[in-house]
Amino acid sequence: MTTRPLSPLTMLLSRHTRRRGFITLLGGAAAAWPLAVRAQQSKVPVVGFLHPGSAEPNASLLAAFRKGLAEAGYTEGKNVAIEFRWAHGENSRLGEMAADLVQRQVAVIVTPIGTVTVLAAKTATSTIPIVFSAGTDPVKAGIVASLRRPGGNVTGVNYMAAELSAKRLSLLHELTPRATRIALLVNPANPVPAETVPKDTEAAAETIGLHIDVYKAETSREIEMAFDALIQNRADALVIGADAFFIDRRVQIVTLATRYLLPTVYFLREFAEIGGLMSYGASDFGRYREVGIYTGRILKGEKPADMPVVQPTQFELVINLSTARVIGITVPPSLLAQANEVIE
């Protein structure tokens, strides 16, 4: 069989087809290269953020955490990603959420508030670094071996909210010296502070001749019930125990305390800013920022075991004079002199 030679037109079309195929192949490779680069760039460290509350009431504090991260060299969306887990006041979900973050192999787990939160994370992993912020003594709570050398995979900030219960009671007594029956509100879903805070407060109350009645609430409805009960029992004043759930419900709590004209001391300035009578505690913005800085340092390679637990050295006393006038209390000059801020 004789093969006929290709015509000039056929040869031209063949060369054109091969050239188009080569260009397509080259173009495909060029298109794939940026994708590969983007995939490589997307492998930024992921921080798991585990919180017992909700996002909206903690927006300003989340900004403080991001500020600390930025100071350590990390910006969300640029060279670090954050996976958020909000329990919305349901502490029973924290264990499941911590386990999910472990399964996702995050680089660090952050628990910015609550002893129950860091214990849930610690139960979920003994290898992934954990940066906590808790209001109870982390050594007594079994979170770390010591403040100076935490050991293991956990370090963070102790903002001493529970340890300051006696100081808050003292300030409340100075504000309302005639009050003898003091109510204390705690969250039983956060068992460590729910046990230690009443003990510390009752011990302090004995030294100044006061009586403490403990009330418990872990839902909004139970907060209402607790206020109904303490008013019925003729409480003279109220101490709010440190708890993340109460931060989320601060509007409800401050509204009830004002409605019943009940002198109340809180553990964070955020309560006084929205109408609470008086607050005393470490700066919440400062500790979230510190948690962010510690998270960045761990992302750079530092070991939690060698990073001392941070403790605040300054505390804020905030007094809301507008609320004092509403509930009919005259703040003594000695107390005003101690205040870091007075809200008119």
Side-chain angles (χ1 to χ4, degrees):
M1 181 177 180
T2 304
T3 304
R4 297 177 60 186
L6 295 176
S7 69
L9 176 61
T10 302
M11 292 176 63
L12 178 62
L13 289 174
S14 177
R15 285 198 299 271
H16 178 67
T17 302
R18 288 197 301 271
R19 182 172 176 271
R20 286 182 58 190
F22 175 74
I23 292 174
T24 301
L25 179 63
L26 183 61
W33 179 75
L35 290 174
V37 171
R38 288 199 296 270
Q40 187 175 8
Q41 290 176 340
S42 70
K43 291 181 179 179
V44 299
V46 178
V47 172
F49 190 96
L50 180 64
H51 198 290
S54 306
E56 186 175 350
N58 292 280
S60 63
L61 301 179
L62 189 55
F65 171 71
R66 289 190 172 107
K67 184 177 188 300
L69 264 180
E71 289 179 25
Y74 289 91
T75 301
E76 184 183 9
K78 181 179 179 182
N79 58 352
V80 70
I82 305 176
E83 282 272 350
F84 292 98
R85 297 293 181 273
W86 303 93
H88 301 286
E90 298 179 35
N91 287 354
S92 59
R93 300 177 60 201
L94 291 170
E96 171 190 344
M97 290 179 169
D100 179 57
L101 290 173
V102 172
Q103 186 176 8
R104 290 176 179 268
Q105 298 181 333
V106 297
V108 183
I109 295 178
V110 171
T111 63
I113 189 169
T115 305
V116 66
T117 316
V118 63
L119 290 175
K122 189 176 179 183
T123 299
T125 179
S126 60
T127 55
I128 296 176
I130 298 170
V131 180
F132 74 89
S133 175
T136 52
D137 185 329
V139 177
K140 290 182 179 179
I143 296 172
V144 296
S146 73
L147 297 179
R148 179 167 293 187
R149 294 188 63 83
N153 62 318
V154 184
T155 190
V157 180
N158 171 25
Y159 62 99
M160 302 175 66
E163 290 100 316
L164 296 174
S165 298
K167 175 64 176 178
R168 292 190 193 96
L169 180 65
S170 174
L171 292 168
L172 187 61
H173 180 59
E174 187 174 351
L175 179 64
T176 57
R178 294 183 180 180
T180 57
R181 195 173 194 92
I182 310 298
L184 171 65
L185 184 66
V186 298
N187 179 7
N190 198 356
V192 175
E195 180 180 347
T196 58
V197 170
K199 287 181 179 178
D200 293 343
T201 308
E202 287 167 356
E206 289 180 7
T207 64
I208 52 180
L210 300 179
H211 176 77
I212 300 294
D213 291 319
V214 180
Y215 298 84
K216 299 179 180 181
E218 58 180 287
T219 65
S220 297
R221 175 60 184 148
E222 289 180 0
I223 290 175
E224 297 270 358
M225 294 169 62
F227 269 87
D228 289 343
L230 64 89
I231 293 301
Q232 186 175 358
N233 293 335
R234 300 182 182 278
D236 296 315
L238 172 63
V239 177
I240 302 297
D243 191 85
F245 173 64
F246 296 154
I247 298 174
D248 273 15
R249 301 306 306 169
R250 60 185 180 270
V251 173
Q252 178 189 13
I253 292 171
V254 168
T255 300
L256 288 169
T258 306
R259 177 191 302 169
Y260 292 119
L261 307 180
L262 190 65
T264 306
V265 61
Y266 305 90
F267 57 96
L268 288 179
R269 66 176 294 117
E270 281 78 5
F271 288 88
E273 288 175 345
I274 63 169
L277 177 59
M278 181 170 64
S279 67
Y280 183 75
S283 166
D284 224 23
F285 187 94
R287 69 183 174 86
Y288 269 71
R289 171 180 165 271
E290 200 69 54
V291 168
I293 292 172
Y294 256 37
T295 302
R297 287 173 57 181
I298 288 173
L299 290 175
K300 288 181 176 178
E302 291 192 51
K303 303 298 181 185
D306 303 324
M307 300 169 66
V309 173
V310 178
Q311 296 196 98
T313 56
Q314 294 183 330
F315 304 96
E316 301 174 327
L317 172 60
V318 182
I319 298 174
N320 192 314
L321 279 184
S322 297
T323 302
R325 286 191 288 268
V326 168
I327 66 179
I329 284 183
T330 300
V331 181
S334 60
L335 199 56
L336 287 173
Q338 300 176 53
N340 299 90
E341 182 179 351
V342 176
I343 300 174
E344 297 286 351

